[in-house]
Amino acid sequence: MIKAHGYAAKHSFSKLKPIGFEREEPGLGEVEIAVMFCGVCHSDVHQVRNEWGNSVYPCMPGHEIVGRVTRAGGDRSKFAAGDLVGVGCMIDSCRECAPCTGGEEQYCEGPNSWLATYNGPMKPAAMAGGTNAYGRDNTYGGYSDVLVAREEFVLRIPDKLSPKAAAPILCAGVTTWSPMKRWGVKAGDRVGVIGFGGLGDMAVKLARALGAEVYVFTTTTEKVADAGKLGATGVVEGDAEAYAKLGNSFDLLLSTVPEKHKVDPFVPLLKRDRAFVAVGALEQMSGYDNSELAKHRKSLAGSLIGSIAETQEVLDFCAEHGIAPEVQVIPIQEVNRAYKKIERGEVRYRYVIDMASLAAEVADA
Ligand code: ZN
Ligand code: ZN
């Protein structure tokens, strides 16, 4: 077993605190990674607080992980010690069902779905006793010094990306990239991004690089100027006059808001046959009026993270186009304070934990 250290919450109401634990040695086709950076995603906060009702404790979040390979299981591994790699939301899946063999592991239909990097798998029934259906203990994420993952789920970080900036691409980046590919965003399209946090920041940069004209809908008036700095037009949510002027002109509306919100005000902004896609919230959205949808054959849709292939694609795309998420690097000792700021909507735009701070703490202990 590998001796590991990380930060985890023991209950939904407790702070994240340092814990020691063990990880299994990498088997054939698995790699061991020394974690360098880990992004703090809003999902981490939802999971720690048990807001989806399926958390297993201790809960050690982190699914925007960048590090170096320390060991690759097997001679034929595509990775070698020293490679700069990333791990996102998934570390395994059934690898047999139609979505998995079709390269869309995030929609795995196997009996246990995909194995989440932390708190995996997501089905509460499978997690009785704290052991998940893969026969392992509850998975622990990237708020730790070492990680083991299936090599099919490990991404290559291109040389042109800085390791700390690459971290949020692994969740926030691919979560916004996947629907843009699915709904075919292209040069000249008009894209609306609703919510302007870590996901929104990535959505704007990616859509702009694809050649789209981008609008940001935000409840935070001060963020309107920030949208402008990224070459987008900021609109204050609910500004009836602005909405009227925009009319039905959008090719895609992407909601990155991490909680339920009203959909109806946005639907009239879509062109005929276009979609409103929610990626930020995994919960009951408010009721909607079907008349506007039906009359113009518009769609309401959801989209979950992205496939492994899409994750590699968006990493490469960011490297090629010089795209880097806006990050604020923190030591792990500040993670509880960071959570409070995320809950209050005060973070601009993504916290990334420098895991060297954990190593320093372990050395001191
Ligand atoms: Zn995430
Ligand atoms: Zn599957």
Side-chain angles (χ1 to χ4, degrees):
M1 299 294 269
I2 306 164
K3 279 208 180 317
H5 302 88
Y7 266 57
K10 292 233 165 101
H11 308 279
S12 61
F13 48 83
S14 57
K15 286 184 174 173
L16 294 156
K17 287 187 183 150
I19 65 164
F21 63 105
E22 288 182 328
R23 290 205 191 270
E24 292 203 29
E25 301 283 338
L28 201 64
E30 293 184 330
V31 290
E32 178 194 73
I33 300 160
V35 181
M36 295 159 66
F37 292 100
C38 186
V40 180
C41 176
H42 208 120
S43 299
D44 302 354
V45 183
H46 283 311
Q47 198 76 68
V48 162
R49 309 276 195 247
N50 198 21
E51 284 162 6
W52 294 323
N54 68 348
S55 299
V56 178
Y57 296 93
C59 177
M60 182 182 295
H63 60 205
E64 294 182 343
I65 302 158
V66 171
R68 283 206 189 274
V69 172
T70 40
R71 276 192 289 172
D75 303 335
R76 284 194 294 180
S77 174
K78 54 180 183 166
F79 295 102
D83 287 353
L84 188 64
V85 294
V87 173
C89 302
M90 304 179 276
I91 50 171
D92 203 351
S93 72
C94 87
R95 289 177 263 144
E96 286 173 358
C97 71
C100 282
T101 53
E104 292 197 303
E105 310 82 359
Q106 76 276 33
Y107 302 115
C108 176
E109 290 166 356
N112 308 309
S113 189
W114 46 274
L115 183 59
T117 304
Y118 66 85
N119 199 73
M122 291 173 77
K123 291 188 180 165
M127 298 194 294
T131 301
N132 68 37
Y134 287 74
R136 303 181 198 174
D137 289 339
N138 174 38
T139 52
Y140 291 151
Y143 293 9
S144 62
D145 47 9
V146 57
L147 192 87
V148 175
R150 286 279 329 163
E151 66 172 21
E152 296 92 328
F153 291 78
V154 175
L155 291 312
R156 281 193 189 281
I157 305 296
D159 293 340
K160 282 190 199 161
L161 286 179
S162 91
K164 63 173 192 259
I169 299 170
L170 295 156
C171 172
V174 73
T175 297
T176 54
W177 178 254
S178 181
M180 284 190 224
K181 298 308 275 187
R182 172 77 189 172
W183 279 273
V185 170
K186 58 187 185 311
D189 279 2
R190 185 177 274 190
V191 172
V193 175
I194 301 153
F196 198 29
L199 266 71
D201 171 61
M202 281 308 296
V204 171
K205 288 170 176 167
L206 293 169
R208 290 278 299 139
L210 287 169
E213 181 193 10
V214 183
Y215 283 75
V216 170
F217 296 84
T218 173
T219 50
T220 316
T221 319
E222 305 87 73
K223 285 187 178 175
V224 168
D226 292 4
K229 283 180 206 152
L230 299 183
T233 305
V235 178
V236 176
E237 257 187 74
D239 181 344
E241 211 175 301
Y243 285 26
K245 235 182 256 175
L246 289 165
N248 57 336
S249 62
F250 284 86
D251 295 281
L252 178 71
L253 287 173
L254 198 59
S255 169
T256 68
V257 179
E259 55 244 353
K260 62 182 162 194
H261 68 90
K262 287 206 175 93
V263 173
D264 276 348
F266 297 103
V267 175
L269 298 172
L270 287 169
K271 285 182 187 165
R272 178 171 52 85
D273 279 337
R274 301 302 202 270
F276 171 103
V277 185
V279 298
L282 290 178
E283 55 203 296
Q284 175 87 44
M285 295 290 267
S286 71
Y288 66 94
D289 179 350
N290 194 48
S291 67
E292 178 67 20
L293 289 168
K295 283 180 197 161
H296 306 282
R297 200 167 50 192
K298 297 175 180 179
S299 309
L300 295 184
S303 178
L304 188 69
I305 49 175
S307 68
I308 292 300
E310 283 172 326
T311 311
Q312 191 62 60
E313 186 181 59
V314 69
L315 284 164
D316 296 343
F317 183 85
C318 287
E320 195 183 315
H321 292 262
I323 296 173
E326 215 57 56
V327 301
Q328 206 175 319
V329 177
I330 57 166
I332 197 156
Q333 294 78 9
E334 273 181 34
V335 71
N336 293 299
R337 208 179 315 160
Y339 272 33
K340 287 218 173 89
K341 289 212 161 196
I342 291 170
E343 286 178 303
R344 293 199 296 253
E346 289 173 8
V347 50
R348 302 247 181 125
Y349 283 85
R350 202 60 147 191
Y351 286 118
V352 172
I353 302 165
D354 180 352
M355 221 48 76
S357 59
L358 178 63
E361 180 176 307
V362 172
D364 279 353

